[in-house]
Amino acid sequence: MRYEAPDTLQGAVALLAGAKGEARVLAGGTDLLVQMRADLVDPDLIVDIKRIPETRAITEENGSWRIGAAVTGAELKEHPRLKKVWPGVIEAANLIGSTQVQGRATLGGNLCNGSPAADSVPALIAAGAVATLAGPGGRRDLPVEDVMLGPRKLALQKGEIVVSFLLPPRPLRSSDAYLRFIPRTEMDIAVVGAGVSLTLDAGSVITGARVSLGAVAARVLLVPEAAQAIIGSRLDRPAQDRLEAAARAACRPIDDKRGTTEFRTDVAAVLARRTALIALDRARSN
Ligand SMILES: Cc1cc2nc3c(=O)[nH]c(=O)nc-3n(C[C@H](O)[C@H](O)[C@H](O)COP(=O)(O)OP(=O)(O)OC[C@H]3O[C@@H](n4cnc5c(N)ncnc54)[C@H](O)[C@@H]3O)c2cc1C
């Protein structure tokens, strides 16, 4: 097995594009190294992207925030301003594993591992995050909801890597939240995850919403019907009921020992409502 750690994007892309056998990007390694140890993957080439400055930076661009794909959950949490603007994205990233795992685990790795239960992905989708990819054909932008196609299946082409995520500018009275259900208090995979981002007008009426659900289908879902169910409301009880119904209708979960189809569907409805109420409360005070 060959290990390379280039310090430019072009170098990383050239290595991955020219690889003969199986090639993998290495970010924090909290999925990849575990899978290698379990003999689930056996790459011929590993390209460590952590020396590439663009993948490690957090920058503000005209009110938007660009987060490098190899920024860790711990670095996100410690950022002095990001938590105020995107509390849901930060809380989702910091639900990943333990303190030790958060010191390594990255947003890019969480997305590119291709798990429908990945915690940061519903929060990024609710936020309207766009992934910037670099590959042999140049750069392109893809909404995060279009990156994952199914379990372990990504829309990335050979040689392409996720470089960063762009979070859009926040209007006044906007905020977000992420909640997940796990049977324990930590260190577990989401049975259901819900991300909600809201914008309110001066009278606390919802003017913009994005709702995303994790672990209830083969990929993390953006649920526009759930957003439509609450836009124009103050998230009063009838709007909450519509939100629950839309979330429930979107679910196509697996049925396994961690949660039956019925259970996951019920939990998705409840979590969507609770997450929206937290986002609403935060948005009111912004
Ligand atoms: C003890 C433990 C607890 C965990 N708990 C959780 C949890 O609660 N919630 C959760 O969601 N996950 C959890 N995980 C899984 C894992 O920590 C996360 O998915 C993490 O975000 C992966 O990031 P990473 O940087 O370590 O990825 P890596 O392991 O480096 O990479 C993961 C995959 O993505 C690919 N990849 C990485 N970066 C890129 C990129 N920029 N472009 C293209 N491909 C890329 C790699 O080739 C690999 O296939 C846990 C893992 C462990 C070991």
Side-chain angles (χ1 to χ4, degrees):
M1 186 191 72
R2 191 171 143 217
Y3 168 86
E4 298 281 354
D7 50 20
T8 64
L9 266 180
Q10 297 88 325
V13 167
L15 281 163
L16 291 163
K20 294 279 180 289
E22 189 176 356
R24 288 294 180 113
V25 170
L26 175 72
T30 61
D31 278 316
L32 183 61
L33 299 185
V34 174
Q35 289 161 11
M36 286 170 65
R37 282 200 159 204
D39 291 329
L40 295 172
V41 289
D42 185 16
D44 301 287
L45 171 67
I46 286 186
V47 178
D48 188 336
I49 58 167
K50 291 191 291 297
R51 288 195 190 155
I52 303 169
E54 256 189 272
T55 71
R56 299 276 307 124
I58 302 176
T59 49
E60 196 177 1
E61 298 177 1
N62 303 322
S64 307
W65 285 91
R66 188 172 287 282
I67 303 173
V71 168
T72 66
E75 288 165 335
L76 285 174
K77 190 163 131 187
E78 282 163 16
H79 192 278
R81 290 169 55 210
L82 212 47
K83 194 170 177 191
K84 173 99 179 87
V85 195
W86 291 106
V89 172
I90 308 303
E91 71 196 350
N94 279 277
L95 280 174
I96 296 175
S98 57
T99 303
Q100 291 91 331
V101 171
Q102 283 153 23
R104 303 290 299 176
T106 66
L107 291 183
N110 200 222
L111 175 64
C112 296
N113 186 51
S115 164
D119 278 308
S120 68
V121 179
L124 285 172
I125 291 176
V130 172
T132 296
L133 317 181
R139 288 188 181 229
R140 63 183 177 124
D141 288 336
L142 210 53
V144 170
E145 57 269 29
D146 294 336
V147 174
M148 191 192 298
L149 303 176
R152 313 267 175 240
K153 283 207 191 89
L154 304 178
L156 270 58
Q157 286 153 14
K158 182 173 162 67
E160 263 188 333
I161 65 174
V162 177
V163 181
S164 58
F165 299 95
L166 188 68
L167 301 177
R170 283 311 239 169
L172 274 179
R173 294 178 292 276
S174 299
S175 199
D176 64 333
Y178 175 78
L179 286 178
R180 71 174 180 183
F181 174 80
I182 55 173
R184 322 194 280 181
T185 51
E186 58 181 323
M187 294 287 285
D188 207 343
I189 300 166
V191 177
V192 179
V196 177
S197 177
L198 298 178
T199 298
L200 316 178
D201 69 11
S204 289
V205 173
I206 298 171
T207 55
R210 284 175 68 93
V211 178
S212 175
L213 293 172
V216 294
R219 59 199 277 189
V220 180
L221 301 176
L222 174 68
V223 190
E225 300 79 13
Q228 285 308 321
I230 55 174
I231 288 174
S233 80
R234 291 192 176 85
L235 207 51
D236 46 15
R237 192 65 226 194
Q240 291 176 33
D241 292 344
R242 291 196 300 273
L243 171 63
E244 286 205 4
R248 198 181 283 280
C251 292
R252 302 277 179 278
I254 54 169
D255 196 338
D256 70 1
K257 64 180 178 190
R258 305 184 63 252
T260 60
T261 300
E262 294 76 15
F263 179 72
R264 285 179 198 257
T265 305
D266 283 348
V267 173
V270 173
L271 277 193
R273 177 170 54 79
R274 289 186 186 169
T275 312
L277 286 168
I278 295 170
L280 178 81
D281 199 42
R282 288 175 177 167
R284 275 194 192 128
S285 56
N286 263 352

